Amino acid sequence: MKNNILIFFTLLLLVSCKNEPQHLVKIEGKLLPISEEISTDKSIEEFIQPFKEKVEAEMNTVLSYTPTDLVRTDGELESSLGNLMADLCYERANPVFNTRTGKNIDFAMFNYGGIRAGITKGPIKTKNAFNLMPFENSLVVVELTAEKVTELAQYLIAQNKAHPISKQLKLVANSKGYNLTIHNLPLDNSKTYFVLTSDYLQNGGDRMVFFKNPIELHKLDYKVRNSIIDYFKETDTIKIALDGRFTKEK
């Protein structure tokens, strides 16, 4: 009898230990408020401090100087900061593009919303470039048909906003239509045009769908922010003006 009882409990133990598939039943979270009651770890602070000091020193490095405030709101259809951004990106990117292709960029265009901060009068520091362009966007060149460039011009007119465009393009809109020139020449329907922009906009960001599916796409492997920093490093004093690159006549 004892043997039968022992065998019974042995079998029961084996059955109860059988591996069954596990299923997640519930996930619980707990809110841990951060307050002064939580003490800091001195060892972690001491480990981080040298890196923190290095980053702060780099961010506060003076790169250039501006005698005026640079903002995106000092003009109706163009701005000092927008003009600067488009022109400096063109200036930094065109030599790269020319070296690789033997061709030149026709003009540059970016978006108003991509300018995230202004630069006040005085020294321009590295942190100003990061505040201006906090995103990791890269420069690209798209080859567009004249039809697509026409769509670009119509977009600018419809938006009625100071999107950054470089000085190589001039757009004058009026009640009868508009006049568009690139390098002081009217749009040539038989030509294609090389336009500098960001990879974000090239993918249709800000509804700039005319940049999508270009004839050819050239990736420059050059971040917008890096081009800004490089330009500031090489330019002692920033000189920029509103020059009427996009206007509307009554």
Side-chain angles (χ1 to χ4, degrees), residues 43-237:
S43 63
I44 295 177
E45 285 188 343
E46 291 173 358
F47 178 78
I48 293 175
Q49 189 62 29
F51 300 98
K52 180 181 177 182
E53 292 175 354
K54 182 179 180 181
V55 170
E56 288 179 348
E58 290 179 355
M59 289 296 103
N60 287 307
T61 299
V62 175
L63 305 176
S64 185
Y65 176 84
T66 174
T68 59
D69 290 341
L70 299 172
V71 296
R72 67 174 186 173
T73 56
D74 52 357
E76 182 181 356
L77 299 175
E78 63 175 331
S79 70
S80 57
L81 193 52
N83 287 0
L84 173 64
M85 182 174 171
D87 286 349
L88 75 83
C89 285
Y90 179 96
E91 184 173 323
R92 295 298 308 176
N94 193 54
V96 178
F97 181 69
N98 180 266
T99 299
R100 295 181 184 179
T101 66
K103 301 173 182 178
N104 291 310
I105 298 170
D106 289 294
F107 65 92
M109 177 179 173
F110 300 93
N111 64 322
Y112 179 85
I115 300 175
R116 309 304 288 190
I119 302 175
T120 56
K121 175 183 176 180
I124 299 175
K125 302 177 181 180
T126 302
K127 65 181 179 183
N128 292 120
F130 277 80
N131 293 335
L132 171 61
M133 176 51 63
F135 312 113
E136 296 301 312
N137 296 340
S138 294
L139 294 170
V140 298
V141 177
V142 289
E143 184 178 1
L144 301 181
T145 62
E147 181 181 359
K148 289 291 186 181
V149 175
T150 298
E151 290 180 21
L152 182 154
Q154 293 170 341
Y155 172 90
L156 285 170
I157 295 169
Q159 286 275 302
N160 198 44
K161 191 178 293 184
H163 289 298
I165 53 176
S166 64
K167 60 186 176 183
Q168 292 77 24
L169 181 145
K170 186 170 184 179
L171 178 62
V172 180
N174 54 49
S175 59
K176 297 181 180 179
Y178 64 88
N179 182 52
L180 172 67
T181 59
I182 301 171
H183 290 283
N184 297 318
L185 297 173
L187 190 68
D188 187 341
N189 291 327
S190 66
K191 285 184 58 178
T192 59
Y193 292 86
F194 296 102
V195 184
L196 176 71
T197 190
S198 71
D199 52 357
Y200 166 72
L201 297 177
Q202 192 277 316
N203 285 311
D206 219 348
R207 294 180 293 171
M208 295 189 183
V209 294
F210 42 82
F211 283 140
K212 299 184 72 173
N213 303 313
I215 296 173
E216 193 167 1
L217 171 64
H218 301 267
K219 297 181 179 181
L220 302 185
D221 302 314
Y222 196 3
K223 291 190 183 299
V224 178
R225 185 195 307 120
N226 290 349
S227 71
I228 295 171
I229 292 173
D230 291 342
Y231 179 84
F232 286 158
K233 284 181 178 179
E234 294 187 356
T235 309
D236 178 75
T237 303

Side-chain angles (χ1 to χ4, degrees), residues 9-20:
F9 279 108
T10 301
L11 290 173
L12 183 63
L13 180 63
L14 289 173
V15 171
S16 64
C17 291
K18 182 180 178 182
N19 290 327
E20 295 290 340

